[in-house]
């Protein structure tokens, strides 16, 4: 399926691009950081599927959808759940609430495949990618002048700063590294981690307790923001 990403958040686009690359049946043909620029492209090119943000300045995703002549399949991507009913009323394939875990993204793509071509075999992620993701239980991060191996099980939580992140570990230390929080969210979401705040990703196995809008890990109380609460509670079955 030829797909397009429309989202005004660069990090959200980066995450979706990475997800698309993992699925053999998807071909990313273009990305846009606003819906206005995407209108003429969609009307002039063959596109099967659009990953469309709703809340964008000047011209929303819903306004965009009502403007284009051609109607590809639509998967809405948004940080807000308020538009879900309207999204489905517009015939959307699915409605993904940010932060989007890969398994939900994949489920939406499979649904779109079935709508576009019910008789075609469903392709998901490649066997190599699946095997690597299933087996890998560590990552390397750049810290000062070396690449440091970090076992996922040793990570307590990750704090996002302006340009860096702090990765706190069970030995009461932290590693400072230059990497985006959204890249770590993408890597760790299937490894028992959850993003609970724009500045925090936590390792669920190390959560001692959940107190109103905070979690306790080690001796650190970490806030849960409203925009991430539903996805987090769904992940831990609360």
């Amino acid at each position: 399926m030829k797909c397009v990403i429309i989202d005004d958040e660069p990090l959200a686009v980066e995450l979706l691009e990475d997800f698309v690359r993992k699925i053999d049946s998807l071909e990313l043909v273009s990305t846009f950081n606003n819906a206005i620029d995407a209108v003429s492209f969609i009307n002039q090119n063959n596109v099967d599927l659009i990953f469309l943000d709703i809340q964008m300045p000047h011209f929303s995703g819903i306004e965009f959808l009502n403007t284009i002549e051609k109607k590809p399949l639509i998967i809405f991507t948004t940080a807000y759940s308020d538009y879900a009913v309207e999204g489905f009323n517009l015939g959307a394939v699915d409605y993904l609430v940010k932060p989007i875990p890969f398994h939900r993204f994949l489920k939406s793509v499979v649904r779109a495949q079935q709508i576009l071509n019910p008789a075609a075999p469903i392709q998901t992620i490649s066997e190599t990618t699946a095997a690597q993701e299933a087996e890998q239980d560590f990552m390397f991060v750049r810290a000062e002048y070396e690449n440091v191996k970090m076992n996922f099980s040793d990570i307590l939580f990750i704090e996002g700063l302006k340009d860096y992140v702090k990765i706190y570990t069970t030995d009461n230390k932290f590693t400072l590294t230059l990497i985006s929080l959204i890249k770590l969210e993408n890597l760790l979401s299937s490894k028992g981690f959850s993003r609970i705040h724009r500045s925090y990703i936590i390792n669920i196995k190390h959560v001692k307790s959940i107190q109103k809008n905070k979690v306790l890990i080690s001796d650190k109380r970490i806030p849960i923001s409203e925009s991430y609460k539903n996805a987090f509670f769904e992940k831990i079955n609360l």
Side-chain angles (χ1 to χ4, degrees):
M1 291 186 292
K2 296 181 182 296
C3 66
V4 165
I5 297 169
I6 306 174
D7 198 308
D8 65 313
E9 299 177 16
L11 292 179
V13 172
E14 184 180 330
L15 176 66
L16 291 173
E17 286 177 330
D18 188 59
F19 282 177
V20 168
R21 284 193 293 268
K22 292 181 177 180
I23 302 178
D24 296 334
S25 59
L26 289 181
E27 177 189 351
L28 182 62
V29 293
S30 192
T31 65
F32 298 90
N33 60 16
N34 68 82
I36 296 174
D37 290 345
V39 172
S40 60
F41 181 89
I42 298 300
N43 286 334
Q44 296 172 18
N45 294 273
N46 292 323
V47 174
D48 300 310
L49 176 64
I50 302 176
F51 297 99
L52 178 63
D53 188 17
I54 292 181
Q55 285 277 69
M56 290 182 284
H58 310 305
F59 197 61
S60 73
I62 291 174
E63 290 171 327
F64 163 81
L65 193 55
N66 289 326
T67 301
I68 57 175
E69 299 168 5
K70 297 180 179 180
K71 302 291 183 183
L73 298 177
I74 300 293
I75 294 176
F76 282 121
T77 60
T78 179
Y80 306 93
S81 58
D82 305 3
Y83 300 96
V85 173
E86 186 173 3
F88 283 117
N89 287 340
L90 289 169
V93 173
D94 207 345
Y95 187 98
L96 301 178
V97 178
K98 300 173 183 175
I100 302 167
F102 179 67
H103 74 274
R104 276 292 289 119
F105 178 87
L106 179 58
K107 183 177 180 180
S108 295
V109 171
V110 169
R111 186 178 298 172
Q113 288 175 324
Q114 292 174 324
I115 293 171
L116 190 65
N117 190 354
I122 297 173
Q123 298 180 41
T124 55
I125 53 178
S126 68
E127 292 182 4
T128 301
T129 301
Q132 289 173 342
E133 292 201 346
E135 294 174 5
Q136 186 169 310
D137 59 357
F138 62 88
M139 64 180 178
F140 283 92
V141 298
R142 185 73 175 174
E144 296 183 349
Y145 301 106
E146 60 181 353
N147 291 304
V148 179
K149 181 180 180 181
M150 308 200 75
N151 295 317
F152 297 147
S153 60
D154 294 335
I155 298 173
L156 295 173
F157 62 92
I158 301 165
E159 180 182 10
L161 306 175
K162 185 177 180 181
D163 297 314
Y164 293 81
V165 298
K166 279 184 176 180
I167 303 175
Y168 293 83
T169 49
T170 53
D171 57 3
N172 294 318
K173 297 179 180 179
F174 69 81
T175 299
L176 188 67
T177 184
L178 179 61
I179 189 174
S180 70
L181 204 61
I182 201 162
K183 279 189 175 182
L184 287 176
E185 180 184 7
N186 176 26
L187 173 65
L188 298 172
S189 62
S190 63
K191 308 293 184 181
F193 289 75
S194 180
R195 190 165 183 180
I196 62 169
H197 188 275
R198 65 180 298 176
S199 299
Y200 290 100
I201 296 172
I202 64 167
N203 188 340
I204 296 172
K205 67 175 279 188
H206 290 298
V207 173
K208 291 182 177 179
S209 64
I210 301 172
Q211 304 163 340
K212 293 185 178 179
N213 292 324
K214 294 180 180 179
V215 299
L216 179 64
I217 296 180
S218 187
D219 59 351
K220 172 77 171 181
R221 298 187 188 278
I222 302 171
I224 307 171
S225 68
E226 287 298 321
S227 57
Y228 292 93
K229 180 184 289 186
N230 290 340
F232 172 56
F233 285 170
E234 180 181 340
K235 196 164 190 175
I236 61 174
N237 297 318
L238 274 186

Coordinates of all heavy atoms in Angstrom, one line a residue, residues 192-194 196 202-205 207 209-210 215 224 229-238:
G192 N 8.1 -3.9 27.6 CA 7.6 -3.7 29.0 C 7.7 -2.3 29.5 O 7.6 -2.1 30.7
F193 N 8.0 -1.4 28.6 CA 8.1 0.0 29.0 C 6.9 0.8 28.5 O 6.2 0.4 27.6 CB 9.3 0.7 28.3 CG 10.7 0.2 28.9 CD1 11.2 -1.1 28.6 CD2 11.4 1.0 29.8 CE1 12.4 -1.5 29.2 CE2 12.6 0.6 30.3 CZ 13.1 -0.7 30.0
S194 N 6.6 1.9 29.2 CA 5.5 2.7 28.8 C 5.8 4.2 29.0 O 6.4 4.6 30.0 CB 4.3 2.4 29.7 OG 3.1 3.2 29.3
I196 N 4.6 7.7 30.1 CA 3.5 8.1 30.9 C 3.5 9.7 31.0 O 2.6 10.2 31.7 CB 3.6 7.5 32.3 CG1 4.9 8.0 33.0 CG2 3.5 6.0 32.3 CD1 4.9 7.6 34.5
I202 N 8.8 4.8 31.5 CA 9.1 4.0 32.7 C 9.2 2.5 32.3 O 8.6 2.0 31.4 CB 8.1 4.2 33.8 CG1 6.7 3.7 33.3 CG2 8.0 5.6 34.3 CD1 5.7 3.5 34.5
N203 N 9.9 1.7 33.1 CA 9.9 0.3 33.0 C 8.9 -0.2 34.0 O 9.0 -0.1 35.2 CB 11.3 -0.3 33.4 CG 11.5 -1.7 33.2 OD1 10.5 -2.5 33.0 ND2 12.7 -2.2 33.1
I204 N 7.8 -0.8 33.4 CA 6.6 -1.2 34.2 C 7.0 -2.2 35.3 O 6.5 -2.2 36.4 CB 5.5 -1.8 33.3 CG1 5.0 -0.7 32.4 CG2 4.4 -2.3 34.2 CD1 4.1 -1.1 31.3
K205 N 8.0 -3.1 35.1 CA 8.3 -4.1 36.1 C 8.9 -3.5 37.3 O 8.9 -4.2 38.4 CB 9.3 -5.1 35.5 CG 10.7 -4.5 35.1 CD 11.7 -5.6 34.6 CE 12.3 -6.4 35.8 NZ 13.3 -7.3 35.4
V207 N 7.8 -0.7 38.7 CA 6.8 0.2 39.4 C 6.4 -0.5 40.8 O 6.0 -1.6 40.8 CB 5.5 0.4 38.6 CG1 4.4 1.1 39.4 CG2 5.9 1.1 37.3
S209 N 4.3 1.2 43.1 CA 2.9 1.6 43.3 C 2.4 2.7 42.4 O 3.3 3.4 41.8 CB 2.7 2.0 44.8 OG 3.4 3.2 45.0
I210 N 1.1 2.8 42.3 CA 0.5 3.9 41.5 C -0.3 4.7 42.4 O -1.3 4.1 43.0 CB -0.3 3.3 40.3 CG1 0.6 2.4 39.4 CG2 -0.9 4.4 39.5 CD1 -0.2 1.7 38.3
V215 N 3.5 7.5 39.6 CA 4.0 6.1 39.9 C 5.2 6.2 40.7 O 5.9 7.2 40.6 CB 4.3 5.3 38.6 CG1 3.1 5.1 37.7 CG2 5.4 6.0 37.8
I224 N 2.1 11.1 35.9 CA 1.4 10.5 34.8 C 0.6 11.7 34.2 O -0.3 12.2 34.9 CB 0.5 9.4 35.2 CG1 1.2 8.3 36.0 CG2 -0.2 8.8 33.9 CD1 0.3 7.3 36.6
K229 N -2.3 8.8 30.1 CA -2.9 8.0 31.2 C -3.7 6.8 30.6 O -3.5 5.7 31.1 CB -3.8 8.8 32.1 CG -4.4 8.0 33.2 CD -5.4 8.9 34.0 CE -4.7 9.9 34.8 NZ -5.6 10.6 35.8
N230 N -4.5 7.1 29.7 CA -5.4 6.0 29.1 C -4.6 4.8 28.5 O -4.8 3.7 28.8 CB -6.4 6.5 28.1 CG -7.5 7.4 28.8 OD1 -7.7 7.3 30.0 ND2 -8.1 8.2 28.0
A231 N -3.6 5.2 27.7 CA -2.7 4.2 27.1 C -1.9 3.4 28.1 O -1.8 2.2 28.0 CB -1.8 4.8 26.1
F232 N -1.5 4.1 29.2 CA -0.7 3.4 30.2 C -1.6 2.5 31.0 O -1.2 1.3 31.2 CB -0.1 4.5 31.2 CG 0.6 3.9 32.4 CD1 1.6 2.9 32.3 CD2 0.2 4.3 33.7 CE1 2.2 2.4 33.4 CE2 0.8 3.8 34.8 CZ 1.8 2.8 34.7
F233 N -2.8 2.9 31.4 CA -3.7 2.1 32.2 C -4.1 0.9 31.4 O -4.3 -0.2 31.9 CB -4.8 2.9 32.7 CG -4.5 3.8 33.9 CD1 -5.4 4.7 34.3 CD2 -3.3 3.7 34.5 CE1 -5.1 5.5 35.4 CE2 -3.0 4.5 35.6 CZ -3.9 5.4 36.1
E234 N -4.3 1.1 30.1 CA -4.7 0.0 29.2 C -3.6 -1.1 29.2 O -3.9 -2.3 29.2 CB -5.0 0.5 27.8 CG -5.5 -0.6 26.9 CD -5.7 -0.1 25.5 OE1 -6.0 1.2 25.3 OE2 -5.7 -0.8 24.5
K235 N -2.4 -0.6 29.2 CA -1.2 -1.5 29.1 C -1.1 -2.3 30.3 O -0.6 -3.5 30.2 CB 0.0 -0.7 28.8 CG 1.2 -1.5 28.3 CD 2.3 -0.6 27.7 CE 3.3 -1.4 27.0 NZ 4.3 -0.5 26.3
I236 N -1.4 -1.8 31.5 CA -1.2 -2.5 32.7 C -2.6 -3.1 33.2 O -2.7 -3.5 34.3 CB -0.6 -1.6 33.8 CG1 -1.5 -0.4 34.1 CG2 0.8 -1.2 33.4 CD1 -1.0 0.4 35.3
N237 N -3.6 -3.0 32.3 CA -4.9 -3.6 32.6 C -5.6 -3.0 33.8 O -6.2 -3.7 34.7 CB -4.8 -5.1 32.8 CG -4.3 -5.8 31.6 OD1 -4.8 -5.5 30.5 ND2 -3.4 -6.7 31.7
L238 N -5.5 -1.7 34.0 CA -6.2 -1.0 35.1 C -7.4 -0.3 34.5 O -7.4 0.2 33.4 CB -5.3 0.1 35.7 CG -4.4 -0.4 36.8 CD1 -3.6 0.8 37.4 CD2 -5.1 -1.2 37.9

